[in-house]
Amino acid sequence: MARLKVFNRSFHGLSRREHRGLINDLVILFIFIVVSFTLAVQFELFEAFFELSRAYEEWELDELFTLTMLLGAGLLLFSVRRIVELKREIRQRQQAEESAHQLARHDALTGLPNRRFLFEDFERRKGLSFGGGKACAVYLIDLDHFKAVNDVHGHGIGDQLLQAMAERLQGAIGADGLVARMGGDEFGILYEFDRGADCALRLARRLTTTLSRPVTVGGLSLELGASIGLAFCPGDGDTLHDLLRKADVAMYRAKEDDKGGFRVFETEMDDLLRERVELERDLREAIRAKQIVPHYQPLVDLSSGSTLGYEVLSRWRHPERGMVMPVTFIPIAEDTGMIAPLTYLILRQACADAKDWPERLFISVNLSPSQFLDPWLVEKLLQILTETGFPPRRLEVEITENALIQDMKKVKTVVGSLRNLGVRVALDDFGTGYSGLYHLRELDLDTVKIDRSFIRRMLSEPQHARIVEAILGLSKSLGLDATAEGIESGEVYDRLKELGCQVGQGYYLGMPVPADDVVRSGHTIDLAKNVA
Ligand code: C2E
Ligand code: MG
Ligand code: MG
């Protein structure tokens, strides 16, 4: 029996089922031959044939008969072989189709189901049970800081991290739901429940805890965490498309509120989303109609109190909403690729304004991290300087630490090219991101701008004062200028002066104002006014 099994499995590479099918086919063939033979005997066809061959011996019918029999046997053998081959081909095709089906529905890196699978599974579950009192929660999970880790430690570590997180999610859900990788560092979960929404919230809490535990990959212990958005079916929507969109909105709120948490979708979140869509549409028009204008905030020499230059800060003069601040529209411009035209619009306007100001004054323009990926960035800046006749030595660009973790090599090249043109480069909001001594040393910078969060609390919290002192010491030893952002009082001003900080900026020294006000001020600051 055992030997027969082996035979079954190995015979011409056919499976046991296929082999059984083959035997069936052969049995049918055999029955057909036996029936034909019986009918031939029954109707005395053979006697008739022999009589005929005897009567017409010269026709050599018996030889013809032998030949026909031989041909029949050959044909039979050929049919058997053909049947076997066909079966094998069908099986291989089925296997290929199965693996294509599998691949099309799974993520190659983590082995988890993919977006397509999730959609199919949702429809299947909906058809089976949503009507029968069961409900379903849709989770959208986005890993926090993943991009930074990927950029700093490389894609190999990033991939391992995704695999580890996928495993944790799978372990947390078990057989109660379906985890899928939606793409990048985003995962989606379908979770069915019938005991009230509490268990769905408990699961969200569990996922948050699980994902915030440190992961060890490639000898590194990394802490990521995740932001989770939740939407319920029925309630928030009937289609997975709608539910995922709402979970996405909730997830973004979770990210904004407090990284490493979760939020359940609420209708007012949708209103915010609608507002964002409106702003996005208006922003396109605003750039075209030049409604975004530069305001200027003085950068002051702390020892003499004289203005050295201005930081250029964008303001949107919205026809209905009034003045819209950068915190609202810069992220939209960054997400939608409008940041480049916006920057060039502001720079062109600022160069045109500042061209006629005293030669000693410079302007400092903010660049967004994504702009460093534009290979034409330096050429475009140069083109604007040439067109407006503004000397490069009077321009400073501010880059944030987030630009550095993207692609250090590219940033280094851009910084090098800008400095070759005579443009100065400042590192903005220093101390809040991922950069450190390595970046300060590697990049050929001119200035470090100490983030205002340290300056604001330096008098009340000794720890912040120590950080400010350390950054000042560090920049001095590297030959960099230091600018303190966010000086809001005379006490902070005096303390920074004592610590040897050269340049300052803040409401105490001057608010960001339009070009006309700058000109009216005669480029001097009025501290008495700000103290009052
Ligand atoms: P930033 O580059 O760090 O600019 C300084 C921000 O701090 C400005 O906010 C300024 O008004 C504010 N500020 C200055 N002094 C004080 C102070 O004493 N106290 C407090 N609390 N705040 C002070 P603003 O104009 O709202 O801009 C916010 C951020 O938006 C900027 O931060 C910059 O990162 C970005 N941004 C503004 N304009 C542009 C732009 O044209 N392009 C790009 N890419 N980013 C821009
Ligand atoms: Mg800045
Ligand atoms: Mg800043």
Side-chain angles (χ1 to χ4, degrees):
M1 189 66 184
R3 270 177 64 193
L4 188 68
K5 268 188 191 164
V6 172
F7 171 74
N8 279 350
R9 242 178 277 134
S10 62
F11 180 67
H12 279 274
L14 295 184
S15 71
R16 220 173 304 159
R17 219 178 84 215
E18 286 161 345
H19 186 247
R20 222 174 293 134
L22 174 67
I23 290 176
N24 284 348
D25 292 346
L26 291 178
V27 168
I28 292 169
L29 205 64
F30 181 72
I31 292 172
F32 175 75
I33 291 169
V34 170
V35 169
S36 309
F37 190 79
T38 317
L39 285 175
V41 172
Q42 182 77 25
F43 294 108
E44 298 176 350
L45 287 181
F46 289 114
E47 279 81 355
F49 175 79
F50 289 130
E51 263 175 38
L52 203 66
S53 70
R54 267 195 298 276
Y56 299 96
E57 227 163 276
E58 69 278 14
W59 287 6
E60 295 183 349
L61 285 178
D62 40 358
E63 279 82 356
L64 203 63
F65 177 75
T66 316
L67 193 68
T68 313
M69 290 309 272
L70 281 174
L71 268 176
L75 214 60
L76 189 68
L77 209 67
F78 175 76
S79 308
V80 172
R81 290 188 67 92
R82 197 64 205 115
I83 289 170
V84 171
E85 272 167 21
L86 273 176
K87 296 247 176 221
R88 198 168 42 212
E89 272 168 29
I90 289 169
R91 184 175 52 91
Q92 281 168 350
R93 204 172 316 137
Q94 274 171 349
Q95 273 176 352
E97 274 168 15
E98 264 166 36
S99 75
H101 188 270
Q102 174 87 354
L103 277 177
R105 278 157 187 78
H106 284 82
D107 166 53
L109 178 69
T110 59
L112 286 181
N114 62 13
R115 196 184 179 85
R116 187 168 166 185
F117 194 137
L118 195 78
F119 270 80
E120 287 174 0
D121 194 58
F122 178 81
E123 290 307 321
R124 188 185 58 79
R125 283 169 196 261
K126 204 163 102 172
L128 284 180
S129 57
F130 287 1
K134 273 202 169 187
C136 179
V138 175
Y139 301 69
L140 199 70
I141 301 167
D142 188 89
L143 301 182
D144 297 331
H145 314 299
F146 176 76
K147 189 168 165 18
V149 170
N150 208 31
D151 291 336
V152 172
H153 299 293
H155 295 285
I157 295 288
D159 285 354
Q160 287 180 50
L161 205 56
L162 287 172
Q163 285 164 338
M165 290 306 201
E167 228 169 84
R168 282 188 187 181
L169 285 173
Q170 189 81 72
I173 300 298
D176 295 337
L178 183 91
V179 189
R181 181 169 174 218
M182 309 298 280
D185 61 344
E186 235 176 48
F187 297 89
I189 291 178
L190 293 183
Y191 178 67
E192 264 181 85
F193 58 92
D194 52 6
R195 284 156 282 134
D198 270 4
C199 59
L201 301 183
R202 267 201 305 279
L203 175 65
R205 240 166 264 132
R206 213 163 58 232
L207 291 173
T208 308
T209 320
T210 309
L211 296 177
S212 61
R213 280 201 333 263
V215 193
T216 310
V217 284
L220 296 163
S221 175
L222 301 165
E223 259 177 69
L224 258 83
S227 300
I228 304 175
L230 256 117
F232 291 101
C233 174
D236 293 329
D238 281 336
T239 65
L240 186 58
H241 194 271
D242 204 16
L243 290 161
L244 279 172
R245 189 186 65 78
K246 288 177 173 166
D248 193 35
V249 173
M251 188 268 287
Y252 268 97
R253 284 308 297 273
K255 232 183 223 319
E256 273 172 19
D257 289 357
D258 170 25
K259 285 195 170 182
F262 74 90
R263 286 289 299 258
V264 179
F265 174 78
E266 291 159 19
T267 321
E268 51 272 29
M269 289 182 186
D270 227 8
D271 297 341
L272 283 174
L273 188 76
R274 216 164 290 129
E275 175 164 310
R276 195 192 140 103
V277 171
E278 254 171 44
L279 276 174
E280 192 180 313
R281 190 196 54 214
D282 290 358
L283 186 60
R284 236 170 265 283
E285 172 58 18
I287 294 172
R288 207 191 52 75
K290 300 193 175 134
Q291 289 168 5
I292 317 271
V293 293
H295 275 206
Y296 302 90
Q297 187 178 31
L299 291 152
V300 176
D301 178 348
L302 293 183
S303 52
S304 67
S306 59
T307 304
L308 298 169
Y310 296 92
E311 174 163 6
V312 181
L313 295 160
S314 294
R315 297 289 181 267
W316 179 1
R317 289 188 184 141
H318 194 287
E320 285 133 36
R321 293 171 195 260
M323 190 76 91
V324 183
M325 298 300 277
V327 67
T328 309
F329 66 86
I330 292 289
I332 302 178
E334 283 174 339
D335 288 353
T336 54
M338 284 189 267
I339 192 68
L342 189 151
T343 305
Y344 303 139
L345 170 70
I346 286 296
L347 177 66
R348 196 179 293 276
Q349 186 58 51
C351 288
D353 286 343
K355 198 164 76 101
D356 303 325
W357 299 348
E359 275 280 303
R360 62 183 168 83
L361 297 171
F362 71 94
I363 54 168
S364 193
V365 174
N366 292 283
L367 291 182
S368 283
S370 63
Q371 298 192 262
F372 286 85
L373 302 175
D374 177 1
W376 298 104
L377 174 68
V378 178
E379 278 76 4
K380 282 180 190 155
L381 297 182
L382 184 62
Q383 188 192 351
I384 293 171
L385 292 174
T386 313
E387 279 171 19
T388 52
F390 193 77
R393 65 178 167 75
R394 291 181 61 199
L395 177 68
E396 181 177 77
V397 295
E398 298 189 9
I399 63 175
T400 58
E401 293 176 297
N402 290 342
L404 308 183
I405 53 169
Q406 273 193 141
D407 188 339
M408 186 64 180
K409 235 164 85 193
K410 275 202 187 109
V411 177
K412 221 175 142 181
T413 315
V414 173
V415 169
S417 312
L418 286 171
R419 293 199 77 228
N420 281 342
L421 289 174
V423 175
R424 291 159 47 86
V425 182
L427 186 57
D428 204 0
D429 307 336
F430 185 73
T432 52
Y434 263 80
S435 68
L437 189 57
Y438 163 75
H439 295 105
L440 288 186
R441 229 189 18 227
E442 274 294 293
L443 288 170
D444 213 1
L445 297 165
D446 295 278
T447 307
V448 171
K449 297 188 78 175
I450 309 169
D451 191 69
R452 63 171 186 266
S453 56
F454 303 113
I455 306 294
R456 201 178 59 218
R457 288 183 282 176
M458 66 181 283
L459 294 186
S460 55
E461 292 172 43
Q463 202 190 352
H464 285 85
R466 277 200 293 276
I467 293 175
V468 173
E469 276 180 57
I471 300 176
L472 286 172
L474 186 68
S475 49
K476 196 168 172 200
S477 66
L478 291 169
L480 302 171
D481 288 342
T483 301
E485 297 183 313
I487 303 177
E488 292 183 354
S489 70
E491 292 79 39
V492 173
Y493 180 145
D494 292 339
R495 183 81 188 103
L496 285 163
K497 211 157 70 170
E498 271 169 36
L499 290 174
C501 180
Q502 303 99 333
V503 186
Q505 174 184 4
Y507 295 162
Y508 176 69
L509 303 168
M511 301 292 287
V513 289
D516 288 350
D517 292 6
V518 171
V519 174
R520 248 193 308 274
S521 75
H523 306 288
T524 55
I525 55 162
D526 185 359
L527 290 182
K529 189 178 86 187
N530 297 332
V531 170

